[in-house]
Amino acid sequence: LRCPITFYYRYIAGLTEPMDNDEDDIDNRMFGNIFHCAAQLMYEELLPKDRITKENIEYVLKTEKSAKSFSERKSNGTLDSVITSAFNKELFRLPSTSKKKPKLNGLQVLNQEVIKKYLRRLLVLDLRIAPLKVIKHEYDVYKTLKIKIGDEEKQLTIGGRIDRLDEINSNTSMPRLRVVDYKTGNKVAAELNSVSDIFNPDNVLEKKSDYTLQALLYSILTTDEDNKYNKGHLPVSPALLFIQHTNANDYSPILSLGSNEIENVADYAEDFYKHLNGVLEEIYNMEIPFKP
């Protein structure tokens, strides 16, 4: 959608840009990876797995604030400890069993503090909607689609990696699932009016409609009958959590279409698949060239 010729160069011709960054450098991609890992460890190691209450979140925030020394904050059971583990795994590629603690340089320390600030924001945001249950972090979801290319039927596998799946209560106290996609960059996705707007190429650069497409795709896949994390067939809402923009008291990461918050993404599935199939069929249509 962004640019067909770029898609061709990268995914069909296999032309990629050289990775010439310093291996210890933290670019936007690496920063996001470390944050994702630290967020996962925070929920897995510092908070209950069955039901997270306001008291649980307040305890983590209070423990972090009351730690007086750096060594105390670095001990197990704090934000600093999970951030250290995330740096070891993502940046230094150390196994989880390693006791090694590489010394961070100045820029890495600054990034460490920013990630800690973001984790605290995440906790404060969850504090507003607690109690909640975090079901799963960082897992893959896929589906096989059939498309028609002329007289030929083709099977394609679509999907990707979900950052977080949780269960919350809506305004009607009816439980629902949220497919949460963490975004650490400054650019947010603008609200769109319809599913067709998501697939409009003009909206990719200015309105970041690719973020919205990704969130809806993963959420719709979570509504499938054979999805093992939604055996209760609960309604699913897509959520784009732009961590830099969570300060507002009324902030909600749940996506809206036409000013209506998406409480059940299944309502949009048929229209979404119709547009998605159109894009996939265009990719495989030999009569349509890849052009800038």
Side-chain angles (χ1 to χ4, degrees):
L1 289 172
R2 183 183 292 111
C3 177
I5 195 68
T6 300
F7 175 90
Y8 172 82
Y9 287 148
R10 180 173 178 183
Y11 295 104
I12 299 176
L15 303 177
T16 58
E17 295 183 34
M19 296 292 290
D20 55 1
N21 288 341
D22 188 314
E23 62 178 8
D24 292 333
D25 194 26
I26 299 180
D27 57 12
N28 291 337
R29 182 190 60 82
M30 178 56 70
F31 181 92
N33 289 347
I34 296 172
F35 172 79
H36 280 70
C37 181
Q40 179 179 357
L41 293 173
M42 179 175 72
Y43 287 98
E44 290 178 350
E45 297 181 8
L46 307 185
L47 291 161
K49 291 181 174 58
D50 52 347
R51 185 173 181 267
I52 301 172
T53 65
K54 290 181 183 294
E55 291 75 21
N56 299 142
I57 297 172
E58 287 169 345
Y59 177 79
V60 174
L61 290 168
K62 189 190 304 179
T63 303
E64 193 64 37
K65 200 171 183 180
S66 63
K68 295 180 175 59
S69 67
F70 181 72
S71 60
E72 190 178 346
R73 295 197 307 271
K74 293 280 280 188
S75 63
N76 291 333
T78 66
L79 293 183
D80 284 285
S81 67
V82 299
I83 294 171
T84 297
S85 297
F87 266 81
N88 285 350
K89 178 183 177 183
E90 298 295 334
L91 184 62
F92 300 116
R93 299 297 179 186
L94 295 175
S96 58
T97 54
S98 175
K99 300 297 182 183
K100 186 179 179 183
K101 294 184 179 179
K103 185 176 177 59
L104 303 184
N105 63 33
L107 284 175
Q108 291 166 354
V109 170
L110 288 175
N111 279 280
Q112 183 184 47
E113 289 303 309
V114 174
I115 289 172
K116 183 177 178 180
K117 177 183 176 182
Y118 285 1
L119 291 179
R120 289 182 63 86
R121 283 191 181 185
L122 189 55
L123 288 172
V124 170
L125 192 63
D126 283 343
L127 190 61
R128 300 174 193 163
I129 61 168
L132 73 152
K133 178 181 180 181
V134 176
I135 299 170
K136 188 71 175 173
H137 268 98
E138 303 295 335
Y139 70 98
D140 295 330
V141 58
Y142 289 101
K143 177 185 179 73
T144 300
L145 283 186
K146 292 181 180 179
I147 63 171
K148 202 76 182 285
I149 310 298
D151 296 329
E152 181 188 356
E153 189 175 78
K154 197 170 189 67
Q155 282 195 347
L156 301 175
T157 301
I158 61 166
R161 171 149 290 201
I162 290 176
D163 294 343
R164 163 177 160 182
L165 179 69
D166 59 28
E167 181 182 313
I168 63 170
N169 289 331
S170 66
N171 295 330
T172 59
S173 297
M174 179 74 180
R176 60 172 161 160
L177 301 183
R178 291 191 313 174
V179 172
V180 181
D181 194 2
Y182 297 134
K183 298 297 184 186
T184 54
N186 188 47
K187 186 80 171 177
V188 301
E191 185 176 302
L192 301 171
N193 290 320
S194 64
V195 171
S196 61
D197 282 347
I198 298 173
F199 289 87
N200 182 344
D202 295 338
N203 291 328
V204 176
L205 290 180
E206 291 301 318
K207 298 187 176 181
K208 297 302 296 180
S209 56
D210 51 330
Y211 287 174
T212 306
L213 191 157
Q214 178 189 22
L216 255 71
L217 172 62
Y218 295 173
S219 300
I220 289 171
L221 295 182
T222 304
T223 66
D224 281 358
E225 290 185 4
D226 58 349
N227 188 288
K228 62 181 178 180
Y229 298 115
N230 190 14
K231 292 181 179 178
H233 305 298
L234 295 175
V236 180
S237 292
L240 284 174
L241 203 161
F242 295 94
I243 199 68
Q244 290 193 47
H245 299 268
T246 58
N247 279 340
N249 290 329
D250 60 348
Y251 177 83
S252 171
I254 295 177
L255 288 179
S256 296
L257 275 181
S259 300
N260 296 315
E261 192 174 272
I262 301 175
E263 294 193 352
N264 188 2
V265 76
D267 296 338
Y268 302 87
E270 183 178 353
D271 197 14
F272 184 89
Y273 278 130
K274 181 184 74 174
H275 284 84
L276 178 63
N277 283 2
V279 175
L280 296 175
E281 288 168 3
E282 181 180 324
I283 290 174
Y284 284 89
N285 189 333
M286 297 294 284
E287 303 300 319
I288 302 177
F290 292 99
K291 56 186 178 182

